[in-house]
Amino acid sequence: MSVVDERVDASGRGAAFASPEPGEALTIVEPLVFDHSRPGRRAVRFPVASDAARAAGKGEPALPASVQRQEAPRLPEVSELELLRHFTRLSQLNIAIETAFYPLGSCTMKYNPKVNEWAARLTGFTDSHPLDPDELAQGSLELQWLLAELLREISGFAAVSLQPAAGAHGELTGMLMTRAFHRSNGEGEQRTKVLVPDSSHGTNPATATMVGYSVVTIPSNERGGIDLGALRAALGSDTAALMITNPSTLGIFEDQIDQVVAAVREAGAIAYMDGANLNAILGRFRPGEAGFDVMHFNLHKTFSTPHGGGGPGAGPVGVSERLAPFLPRPLPVLREGDADAVRANAWAGRETPGARFGLDWDRPQSIGKVRSMFGNFGMHLRAYAYIRANGGDGLRGVSDDAVLAANYLRVRLADAFDLPYDRVCKHEVVFSGRRQKRQHGVTTLDMAKAILDHGIHPPTIYFPLIVEEALMIEPTETESLETLDRFVDVMHDIARRAADEPEALRAAPVTTPVGRLDEAGAARRPDLRHRFGPDPVPESTEGG
Amino acid sequence: MAYTPHTDPDRAAMLAAIGVAGIDDLFDDVPPAVRAAAWDLPAPMVEQEVRAELRRLANRNRIPDVSFLGYGAYRHLVPSVVSEVVGRAEFSTAYTPYQPEVSQGTLQSIYEFQSLICELTGMEVATASHYDGATATAEAALMACRLTRRERVAVSNAVHPEVRRVLATYCSGPGIEVVEVPADLAAGGTGQTDPAAAAAVLDDSFACLIAQQPNAFGVLEPMAELGQAAHAAGAQLVAVVEPTSLAVLEPPGSYGADIVTAEGQPLGIPMSFGGPWVGLMAARMGAVRQMPGRLVGATRDAAGRKGYVLTLQAREQHIRREKAASNICTNQALCALAATAYLTAVGPAGLREVAELSMAQARHAAGALRRAGLAERRFTAPYVAEVAVTVPDAERRHAVLAAEGVVAGAPLWRDYPELTDTLLLAATELTSDTDIERLVAALEASR
Ligand SMILES: Cc1ncc(COP(=O)(O)O)c(C=O)c1O
């Protein structure tokens, strides 16, 4: 394919742009925002200070010359229309839930309801300053208190903090509480190890390290569960915690979970449940009730807050009684009024006269703060709206339908791909592309790229690590049967083409704005920012 | 199930294909001993009911008529074009760009964000985003520990208390000691961190010195001298900055900062009771492999087309697991997009207008209060757009004004008991002359 004079990108969606450098074989789908810039062009303008204001400010210290910036930052100079066209064109280079099926396993790419976005834009919320006196922030505080109550009931935990900003941040919070708990029992020095199954998400071991623990990996058994014998052998007086994802990253519910929790507790360790997959078990299993000490929720997964191209999310943590004193502070609390009445009224959409909410800072055993202010409030309110729209029965139905869809794909695709753990799954199913790789030299990566040419976002690939050539499919409950069936057809077609025309799959994708990108080159020669012509500042050498 | 498309015949067809009699069969794997007891959750709501409930809560907040409260969160204009960009579902309903061919919009916008943050800060590399400025700063401290292989961190106590709280929590896990350098808070004092005081604390066991420009009281710090004190001990300078002020203040890259962090909320992100916001982090290329968080880099496809990918992933948890530089996974990409759109919308001239008007109105407020005999400036050193003033009987009067819908800044004595009767007043470009008149009148009436 000749590229030098190819002026239109393959998708036809992006603007064509040939490099202005003569002889450079380069096609750019959409120029950088800096390339749209012309000196003196303006979008948003601001008023200048009034004469009265300047006069009133006389006698106040001016900015010393020594701290003043000499050269203005080279921000782009564009009109509003150019700005919008640039970002609109960029947006059109993305696949997103609202443009296409997005069965990215472990990520729960379900519909993000619009009414939640409407709510998040209410000025009563957007203009709420986190340090406003409590009397001015009663709505924000009540909402957080109510959401924590709902999450408590959903998970069976004694208490909930909304402060963590994402799942991994919730993990960090949980592990810091684990540390604080053991320290308070005089076992801080002795309990140094965190056990994680080999199927765990990378954030679990990374979190354990961040709080100074060493990581011990526990193998899975042949059925995809945790190897109970290996777990028991690893547990001891040096174990701080087990971090277990349930349902696991194989999409499998740990059917010995009661024994797992019992063994961990017997060893005096903390039982941490990674709740990223809670969306599969709403109304079926409540981790707090089952004896877990701590769990993070991913509001951006289970409770449908938008993923934003990689955040913001929110990762509240639920804890058992024994960990509750260590929760981050402050906690939203009901200062005046009867909790039952406030809940009953709120569930009926009513105000409770005289109810007053506040923030409880007086928690001497707290691990402190893990984030400034009180967490990603804008995500809290979306999750609250989602829970209220569904209600208890609806939430149970969410999991039922998510599990139904995943099992449907499991049986429909079992003829085309290897299923390393052939049993009922929960919200996702993990296939292996090893057959295609061995027989036809087509990797899971090749198949994922071929899926792109069907306008579908591929499943998660090469995770969990214990499945060779993993293809982790999470359809979610918001995809129609027609969409699922079309996906089945696409996957069958790809399996067929892996056998018949493997070269074509290795060349995929061909319809996307860019083809496969040179990732190794990107890492070898990092180009991490735009250069404005010759760089006046010599770059420090990379290394370190 | 407010949002599922399945009809009962769809469900029946799927169950039949799976070969089970009913949905409960798919949950047989939950051991009977731990199956969920019945829960007590509210009934479902239709859209108009959801709206009414959320409106009820939004209306329970009382947004003040006039507010001089900043202290870490600022009421700035969010331009309409910025809201429009972040409202696009192609951005908001995508996820981490693991498949670059269909994520060029997200990836290129992050590359633009990294470029803008480098330009603003005068640094060489910026990450894709962090949860907020406080966690970015805490992660910067851990990064400095990795870079220097040292395990102590010095922080000026004029760094915002929220940042110090989060720093303390992050450091408590791995047992990193945090030592505070006291700022000059005495009556008639500068409000600054004295470089000699920093030098007295620092020695070759310290990984970094963390200082904030302007500091928590809005006061300008002697950053170059603080940097020298840090470097003399072989420690790094971590500069915590406020992004709009960088239109007028020298960039941290030129006063020797090794790592720069900031809360990005002022860049087109609503306050929203504390989040979602976005943490910024920038550093020198020499330190890039110890940086936490995602990075986007430019590259080519086989046909020579330019494109963007997540890069240097060997630092990250999904590759390195327990050896990763951080556990961060989901970060704040959409807020970073807001900041990118904001910096594009205002441009260099607009950012300067924002900074200058904010500074002018802070001086207007401080001057008007002083002339009315209502308040005196607390510190002698020059300030930017926030000014600490002492007001007799401040606690009572702050409460009286709040009840009238006027928030007279942040009560500093809550975090700094020695700063009795001291209020921190913040101005932005949205602070009007009448806001200031109203503050003066309300304080007058509360005497
Ligand atoms: C099983 C599991 N655990 C933890 C996480 C981390 O959550 P987050 O990305 O919100 O930090 C994820 C998702 O990325 C996950 O799938």
Side-chain angles (χ1 to χ4, degrees), chain A residues 70-87:
Chain A
Q70 301 304 317
E71 280 165 42
R74 289 162 291 183
L75 308 179
E77 298 177 72
V78 299
S79 69
E80 291 202 9
L81 178 57
E82 288 167 310
L83 179 152
L84 287 168
R85 284 207 184 128
H86 172 69
F87 288 106

Side-chain angles (χ1 to χ4, degrees), chain A residues 43-285:
Chain A
V44 180
R45 291 166 198 269
F46 298 89
V48 292
S50 67
D51 292 342
R54 286 192 193 287
K58 285 255 159 58
E60 289 295 305
L63 218 52
S66 60
V67 303
Q68 290 190 26
R69 186 166 190 137
Q70 301 304 317
E71 280 165 42
R74 289 162 291 183
L75 308 179
E77 298 177 72
V78 299
S79 69
E80 291 202 9
L81 178 57
E82 288 167 310
L83 179 152
L84 287 168
R85 284 207 184 128
H86 172 69
F87 288 106
T88 300
R89 284 194 296 250
L90 283 187
S91 77
Q92 289 169 338
L93 305 177
N94 274 358
I95 282 189
I97 298 174
E98 283 186 29
T99 70
F101 183 39
Y102 207 131
L104 188 66
S106 207
C107 298
T108 315
M109 304 303 286
K110 61 164 120 179
Y111 172 56
N112 307 141
K114 289 296 172 187
V115 65
N116 303 353
E117 301 306 306
W118 170 87
R121 288 186 177 81
L122 291 172
T123 51
F125 293 132
T126 56
D127 292 353
S128 178
H129 192 298
L131 301 177
D132 269 341
D134 289 353
E135 296 68 45
L136 304 186
Q138 287 295 303
S140 300
L141 292 169
E142 178 175 349
L143 190 148
Q144 289 196 318
W145 186 81
L146 290 170
L147 176 61
E149 290 295 295
L150 290 169
L151 294 179
R152 236 159 44 90
E153 184 66 20
I154 288 166
S155 61
F157 282 106
V160 165
S161 163
L162 304 178
Q163 209 177 89
H169 205 211
E171 293 173 31
L172 179 68
T173 308
M175 281 299 108
L176 286 165
M177 288 190 281
T178 298
R179 250 209 123 115
F181 170 78
H182 291 312
R183 279 183 184 148
S184 77
N185 289 338
E187 296 186 338
E189 299 300 309
Q190 152 199 344
R191 296 192 178 266
T192 55
K193 293 186 178 145
V194 169
L195 315 184
V196 298
D198 54 6
S199 60
S200 71
H201 196 261
T203 50
N204 295 180
T207 300
T209 303
M210 265 182 101
V211 299
Y213 283 129
S214 60
V215 173
V216 178
T217 304
I218 307 296
S220 299
N221 63 25
E222 68 291 345
R223 301 182 60 249
I226 193 167
D227 181 334
L228 206 51
L231 173 66
R232 289 207 171 104
L235 281 166
S237 57
D238 60 353
T239 309
L242 168 74
M243 296 181 88
I244 187 171
T245 308
N246 187 39
S248 72
T249 61
L250 294 165
I252 291 173
F253 192 90
E254 178 56 69
D255 57 12
Q256 309 173 89
I257 198 70
D258 43 350
Q259 297 173 62
V260 169
V261 172
V264 171
R265 289 205 138 216
E266 201 171 307
I270 289 292
Y272 185 102
M273 190 173 119
D274 178 328
N277 298 337
L278 190 72
N279 59 307
I281 48 173
L282 294 168
R284 302 282 182 174
F285 178 73

Side-chain angles (χ1 to χ4, degrees), chain A residues 153-154 283-286 289 396, chain B residues 32-40:
Chain A
E153 184 66 20
I154 288 166
R284 302 282 182 174
F285 178 73
R286 296 198 298 171
E289 201 174 65
R396 196 178 154 105
Chain B
V34 290
R35 289 196 183 147
W39 60 16
D40 181 17

Side-chain angles (χ1 to χ4, degrees), chain A residues 18 197 231 330 333 408 438 459 461 537:
Chain A
L231 173 66
V333 286
Y408 180 70
R438 286 204 194 118
I461 53 176
V537 192

Side-chain angles (χ1 to χ4, degrees), chain B residues 339-405:
Chain B
T340 305
Y342 178 84
L343 290 169
T344 302
V346 301
L351 196 67
R352 195 174 180 92
E353 287 164 358
V354 166
E356 286 183 341
L357 185 51
S358 305
M359 287 195 305
Q361 290 299 48
R363 281 159 181 72
H364 178 179
L369 291 172
R370 172 166 42 78
R371 263 189 296 281
L374 290 163
E376 283 301 325
R377 201 143 50 80
R378 181 68 168 74
F379 299 117
T380 56
Y383 58 92
V384 182
E386 280 181 281
V387 55
V389 295
T390 34
V391 175
D393 199 14
E395 182 156 14
R396 180 189 62 82
R397 292 162 84 189
H398 188 268
V400 168
L401 266 64
E404 295 166 8

Side-chain angles (χ1 to χ4, degrees), chain A residues 511-535:
Chain A
T511 62
T512 48
V514 291
R516 288 193 208 188
L517 290 156
D518 180 7
E519 302 197 15
R524 252 194 329 271
R525 296 175 302 275
D527 169 359
L528 308 176
R529 69 182 163 99
H530 173 66
R531 307 297 163 104
F532 299 85
D535 208 329

